[in-house]
Amino acid sequence: MLNTLSVRNIVLIDQLDLSFEPGLTVLTGETGAGKSILLDALTLALGGRGDAALVRTGADSGQVVAVAHLPERHPARVYLRENEIADDAEIILRRVQHADGRTRAFVNDQPVSAGLLRAVGGLIVEIHGQHDDRALVDPATHRALLDAFGGHRDDLERTRAAHGEYARAQKAVTEQRARVERAEREEEFARHVVDELSALKPEVGEEEQLAERRAHLMSLEKAAGEVTDAEEILNGPNAPGPSLAMLLRRLTRKSDAEAALFAPMADAVDAALVALDGASEALDAIRREMAFDPRELEQVEERLFALRAAARKHQVDCDELSDVLARYAADIAALESGAETLAQLEAELSAAEAAYRDNAKALSAAREAAGHALSAAVEAELPDLKLGSARFIVAIESDPDRMAATGFDQVAFHVQTNPGTAAGPMMKVASGGELSRFLLALKVVLADKGSVPVLVFDEIDTGVGGAVADAIGKRLGRLAGSVQVLTVTHAPQVAARAMSHLLIEKQAIEEGAFVRTNVRPLDTEARREELARMLAGATVTDEARAAAHRLMSEAPR
């Protein structure tokens, strides 16, 4: 329920704090006292359009705070949690209107967009007047209201679930059909790719390994040239070894007299021959260590270049070639088994569609029955509202080709205000006063069917009196048994049925320096006096007081 409303610097309201009680609360006051201002302030707090003209003259900004108390599972609190807004049993809606036209919105002291504030406010409070159409013009709202009245939640959930299965099956068929069509278009190329890559047998990481092996073999190949050159120097035709050996033989053959002279030279040549032998042995060891098949480099390069060529052809990295192979192989498999798979998926789609249609037809039948019941229930309320010759029609259009999650049906509320006239949408056919009474009848019938917790009616009794006003009062009282109802009224028959009564009046401040709107709760005696004023007008008579007393005594609250 709506607990409090605090208003600061809005038009004629400088400071106002209101508390609301459960049940039916009426707001009365003379014309021009500020009743519409109060509703404008509430509308602003609920996310309505801002207007710089709302700011009180001389103030930089105005502010309205509405506080509601809601159970944990209420849709407004669920919506806040879904949007990561602080959630508590007490929901605080705050709107600041600046004099330059800017507005700021807050929910539970967190800044939010005006759209989010409007969405939350719409789940808590509905404001209805003679020319208000928010709850009546949208066919989607009518369908939801009819489903709430008929208790179609289970049928609706089954239809939604069946529609979800149908949508999934339809997507699977579409994807499989596209896969088969693509495979058919690319079959020859796909088979060529599969044959080519299957022969190549690419492996993840192979390119890096081959590149490293190629670099190593190339380094060995370069070193092999150095070995060949060393072999040529040490053992080739011009090698120094034979010449040194021959020189050593000549030196060792010298006579004893010469031997002593050439001995150092013979020793040096002998050491050189030993060193050359050591170099040759070292060269042989190197040759044995770096022995490799020259054809291996050719094979490695051939494999590496083949992988890179295939990667360039398919515009991928070498490591992704196996994925390319798998994709084209899958396309061929889809082509080979595609017809069978597609037929299976199409059968599943047909079954899903049949299941959806069965559920949607059941939901349509339930809506048809609920539509007749809702029409009868609303029409039963109309005679007392001076609409006895009017008809309320739940128009349902079912289109089996319209396969929506909510079923086949479009729902709209139509009325016929007089016999012989054409029926049509309420907003086009009914006058302002008729519309408000149709709305009241509809709200009374739907009171316990998921209505928002707070309903505000703005002068829906305008232009009626006597029995009709009394009938409106009775229905507002009945409605207040299920939800909190606030109504601005000029009808004493309505005001007499209130659980609480708020009087809206103007006050002159500082010897008329400025005027402000004030709201005060009335006790029993003050209520009787206000009802007498509403009955009598400017001059309150004893007869009016007696009539007011009688109204209060006879009106159940």
Side-chain angles (χ1 to χ4, degrees):
M1 62 170 282
L2 183 64
N3 287 355
T4 62
L5 181 69
S6 298
V7 185
R8 299 289 185 273
N9 294 323
I10 298 294
V11 194
L12 296 180
I13 302 174
D14 58 342
Q15 180 174 325
L16 180 64
D17 296 294
L18 293 178
S19 295
F20 299 103
E21 301 295 330
L24 175 60
T25 296
V26 297
L27 297 91
T28 66
E30 295 182 355
T31 300
K35 298 186 291 296
S36 62
I37 297 172
L38 193 61
L39 292 186
D40 287 344
L42 177 58
T43 300
L44 186 66
L46 298 175
R49 179 175 296 180
D51 189 338
L54 291 172
V55 180
R56 183 177 174 84
T57 301
D60 294 330
S61 64
Q63 175 177 277
V64 186
V65 180
V67 180
H69 191 278
L70 302 172
E72 182 177 1
R73 298 182 65 181
H74 188 276
R77 294 186 61 184
V78 173
Y79 184 82
L80 290 180
R81 290 193 289 270
E82 289 175 348
N83 285 274
E84 299 181 352
I85 304 295
D87 167 50
D88 198 355
E90 192 172 75
I91 305 298
I92 304 172
L93 309 180
R94 180 162 64 96
R95 190 80 174 280
V96 178
Q97 173 69 63
H98 293 278
D100 61 6
R102 294 178 299 113
T103 66
R104 297 191 66 193
F106 302 85
V107 175
N108 291 344
D109 289 330
Q110 289 183 242
V112 299
S113 67
L116 189 144
L117 180 66
R118 184 162 52 251
V120 175
L123 294 170
I124 301 172
V125 181
E126 282 184 11
I127 300 178
H128 299 285
Q130 287 194 56
H131 305 289
D132 184 87
D133 63 354
R134 283 172 295 177
L136 302 177
V137 76
D138 185 0
T141 301
H142 295 174
R143 184 175 56 231
L145 290 172
L146 179 62
D147 286 338
F149 175 79
H152 301 153
R153 185 178 64 179
D154 291 343
D155 287 336
L156 190 57
E157 285 303 315
R158 282 192 291 268
T159 301
R160 289 185 189 278
H163 184 269
E165 290 298 323
Y166 169 75
R168 283 188 286 274
Q170 190 175 50
K171 180 181 179 182
V173 167
T174 300
E175 290 177 348
Q176 178 64 12
R177 187 174 289 132
R179 192 177 297 118
V180 170
E181 291 174 354
R182 184 178 70 248
E184 288 175 344
R185 288 194 305 269
E186 302 176 357
E187 177 183 7
E188 183 177 353
F189 179 70
R191 291 190 183 279
H192 170 72
V193 170
V194 169
D195 291 343
E196 182 181 61
L197 294 183
S198 295
L200 188 61
K201 296 179 181 178
E203 297 180 2
V204 176
E206 185 179 8
E207 180 197 23
E208 183 179 357
Q209 295 173 0
L210 289 172
E212 291 177 354
R213 182 61 179 165
R214 177 174 179 257
H216 179 64
L217 291 175
M218 290 179 69
S219 67
L220 291 181
E221 187 177 51
K222 182 179 180 181
E226 298 293 336
V227 170
T228 300
D229 291 345
E231 176 71 22
E232 179 68 20
I233 293 172
L234 292 175
N235 301 312
N238 298 319
S243 298
L244 290 174
M246 183 175 64
L247 176 59
L248 181 61
R249 287 194 298 275
R250 289 174 60 185
L251 292 175
T252 56
R253 291 174 186 163
K254 296 294 181 182
S255 62
D256 291 340
E258 293 175 330
L261 178 64
F262 287 100
M265 182 179 179
D267 291 339
V269 172
D270 183 59
L273 286 170
V274 171
L276 285 173
D277 288 341
S280 295
E281 290 176 1
L283 182 61
D284 289 339
I286 292 172
R287 186 184 295 109
R288 288 192 301 272
E289 183 177 344
M290 59 180 293
F292 70 95
D293 186 352
R295 291 175 301 175
E296 183 184 0
L297 176 60
E298 180 181 347
Q299 293 168 350
V300 167
E301 288 184 333
E302 182 180 345
R303 175 69 176 173
L304 178 61
F305 297 157
L307 286 173
R308 288 176 173 173
R312 286 194 301 273
K313 178 179 179 180
H314 296 287
Q315 297 181 338
V316 296
D317 294 332
C318 289
D319 286 350
E320 297 176 272
L321 286 172
S322 56
D323 294 334
V324 174
L325 173 59
R327 186 170 70 251
Y328 281 100
D331 286 344
I332 292 174
L335 179 62
E336 294 173 345
S337 64
E340 180 180 348
T341 302
L342 183 59
Q344 179 182 349
L345 291 175
E346 287 175 339
E348 293 174 1
L349 175 60
S350 296
E353 181 178 351
Y356 167 78
R357 290 189 177 279
D358 287 343
N359 283 283
K361 287 177 182 177
L363 180 57
S364 291
R367 283 172 174 160
E368 190 70 28
H372 292 304
L374 179 58
S375 294
V378 173
E379 288 178 358
E381 300 291 332
L382 299 181
D384 288 346
L385 296 172
K386 206 175 180 179
L387 291 170
S389 59
R391 293 183 59 215
F392 179 84
I393 303 161
V394 179
I396 302 176
E397 293 184 4
S398 292
D399 181 2
D401 293 330
R402 179 187 175 275
M403 299 178 63
T406 53
F408 300 143
D409 310 312
Q410 296 281 11
V411 178
F413 295 156
H414 290 179
V415 298
Q416 181 187 40
T417 55
N418 293 291
T421 61
M426 281 190 290
M427 289 303 301
K428 293 183 178 180
V429 174
S431 66
E434 290 170 336
L435 178 61
S436 65
R437 283 176 276 159
F438 275 117
L439 170 62
L440 178 58
L442 185 59
K443 282 296 181 183
V444 168
V445 171
L446 297 173
D448 59 347
K449 305 295 183 181
S451 175
V452 297
V454 184
L455 295 177
V456 179
F457 293 92
D458 182 16
E459 298 185 355
I460 66 167
D461 47 40
T462 297
V464 302
V468 177
D470 187 56
I472 291 175
K474 287 180 181 178
R475 280 151 182 79
L476 289 172
R478 284 166 51 191
L479 198 55
S482 302
V483 296
Q484 185 185 29
V485 178
L486 283 68
T487 182
V488 175
T489 182
H490 291 287
Q493 295 89 344
V494 173
R497 295 179 177 273
M499 299 295 294
S500 60
H501 191 147
L502 300 176
L503 177 63
I504 303 174
E505 55 190 355
K506 285 184 179 178
Q507 290 182 336
I509 306 299
E510 297 179 2
E511 297 182 356
F514 69 92
V515 175
R516 71 180 180 189
T517 293
N518 184 55
V519 182
R520 60 184 175 92
L522 301 182
D523 58 20
T524 302
E525 186 58 36
R527 285 190 64 207
R528 186 178 296 112
E529 192 68 14
E530 173 63 6
L531 288 181
R533 182 199 64 78
M534 295 170 72
L535 286 165
T539 303
V540 179
T541 63
D542 290 340
E543 290 81 0
R545 291 187 178 93
H549 177 76
R550 185 168 59 254
L551 276 177
M552 292 179 61
S553 301
E554 294 174 353
R557 291 186 300 276

